[in-house]
Amino acid sequence: MPRRPHVFVAASTALLAAAVFPATVLPALALPAEAPHAPAPHTPMSFDPAARVPVASAPVSPAPVPSAPVSPKRHGAPGPAAGPPAGKESFRRDGFPEDGPVTAAALLSRAGGCDQISNGRYRTRESTPATIPVCDARGAVFWEADMDIDCDGQATAHCNPSADPYYQDTTSYTQADGRALNAEELPYIVVPLSSSIWNFRSSGIRGGSVAAVIHRDKVEYAVVGDTGPPGIIGEASYATARALGIVPDPAGGGVPSGVTYIVFKDSEISRLDDQETITRRGDELAKQFIRDN
């Protein structure tokens, strides 16, 4: 800001008047207020006793005064970018999280309601009522049920006749070398054998079809690897349960409810034991499911 000479003259006049005029006269010489303009830099003055005239000293730069923070709201400046509340997930308009893979919340948001495709409903076990429908969607079918643990297939440390009273050494579908699937290592699900309730093949589901299995906030991609009783639904391999944080013990593990199975139509892969392909295809199909529903 340019310095204003009249301030210096006025200040000099005021000081000279202080030495010559009575104090009662001095208020008339007071400088007019200049707000809202910033004041001119202060020039220190000294007094020459002999000349009785104020003499200007060398100007001293004023110390910087920290300015108060400006409120963006009050001054019209844009505020900080809005973000999701702590602990909440941020989603784009297409339903995907802002970064990373598809989440349980994103998938479940598209599996709400039920366009029932099954001719009737399934039980979770022989002693329970038939309450579980199979629902149709674009590109997939889904159901919400319990999870019982399937340990059938190759005998391993945790899947064998001693650990599982219902153990069988075969599975309806096999891995690339023709052997039964390994339930302890391979994420797979069990679908009910075809019946008057539902023929899974009529919905584009086969052995090796890719599925997303959801429990709470976790998603695990699996394949259709085995078939079970025609009137019962809700079963998956030891490996699937373990990945979802469900107790995988075939004798007493599993959960009684709260598991969603989304099986993608016409999605079978040729090698059921290729876990890398299962995960990659599962993520692709899950994204497509969100786009289409």
Side-chain angles (χ1 to χ4, degrees):
M1 175 183 294
R3 299 185 61 179
R4 296 190 291 276
H6 69 275
V7 176
F8 178 81
V9 173
S12 300
T13 303
L15 291 172
L16 181 59
V20 177
F21 298 101
T24 56
V25 182
L26 290 178
L29 298 177
L31 294 177
E34 294 205 50
H37 300 290
H42 174 65
T43 304
M45 307 293 292
S46 61
F47 191 82
D48 186 345
R52 299 182 62 83
V53 176
V55 179
S57 302
V60 178
S61 300
V65 179
S67 58
V70 178
S71 166
K73 183 177 180 180
R74 290 181 58 192
H75 294 268
K88 299 293 184 182
E89 198 164 29
S90 177
F91 291 93
R92 301 198 306 262
R93 291 182 62 186
D94 57 7
F96 297 115
E98 290 292 349
D99 51 26
V102 174
T103 62
L107 283 169
L108 292 175
S109 71
R110 299 303 197 272
C114 180
D115 180 9
Q116 184 170 331
I117 195 173
S118 58
N119 182 28
R121 301 189 175 204
Y122 286 94
R123 305 174 188 273
T124 56
R125 56 190 59 195
E126 292 291 350
S127 59
T128 61
T131 60
I132 310 297
V134 175
C135 308
D136 195 27
R138 294 187 182 93
V141 296
F142 63 91
W143 58 90
E144 182 180 347
D146 66 337
M147 181 181 286
D148 292 325
I149 309 304
D150 188 338
C151 246
D152 293 343
Q154 297 178 36
T156 63
H158 295 96
C159 290
N160 54 63
S162 298
D164 182 1
Y166 302 103
Y167 173 79
Q168 299 180 37
D169 61 3
T170 60
T171 50
S172 299
Y173 306 102
T174 59
Q175 58 187 35
D177 61 5
R179 292 196 298 163
L181 301 178
N182 183 331
E184 186 173 340
E185 298 298 330
L186 180 69
Y188 70 75
I189 68 169
V190 181
V191 295
L193 284 166
S194 295
S195 69
S196 59
I197 301 175
W198 178 52
N199 179 350
F200 63 87
R201 294 183 182 85
S202 66
S203 296
I205 309 303
R206 306 282 188 277
S209 289
V210 179
V213 189
I214 304 155
H215 178 59
R216 295 181 178 173
D217 61 347
K218 294 185 177 181
V219 180
E220 176 68 5
Y221 296 113
V223 290
V224 173
D226 207 355
T227 56
I232 296 177
I233 204 166
E235 191 174 2
S237 69
Y238 184 104
T240 307
R242 180 180 57 202
L244 292 171
I246 296 171
V247 176
D249 179 13
V255 289
S257 62
V259 181
T260 300
Y261 302 77
I262 302 175
V263 189
F264 303 108
K265 299 175 181 177
D266 303 314
S267 64
E268 62 269 23
I269 59 175
S270 57
R271 291 191 54 179
L272 277 66
D273 55 336
D274 185 348
Q275 295 192 44
E276 182 178 347
T277 298
I278 294 170
T279 301
R280 177 178 53 79
R281 285 289 292 144
D283 186 64
E284 293 170 353
L285 291 162
K287 289 175 180 176
Q288 189 64 49
F289 177 76
I290 291 175
R291 292 190 190 100
D292 292 346
N293 291 277

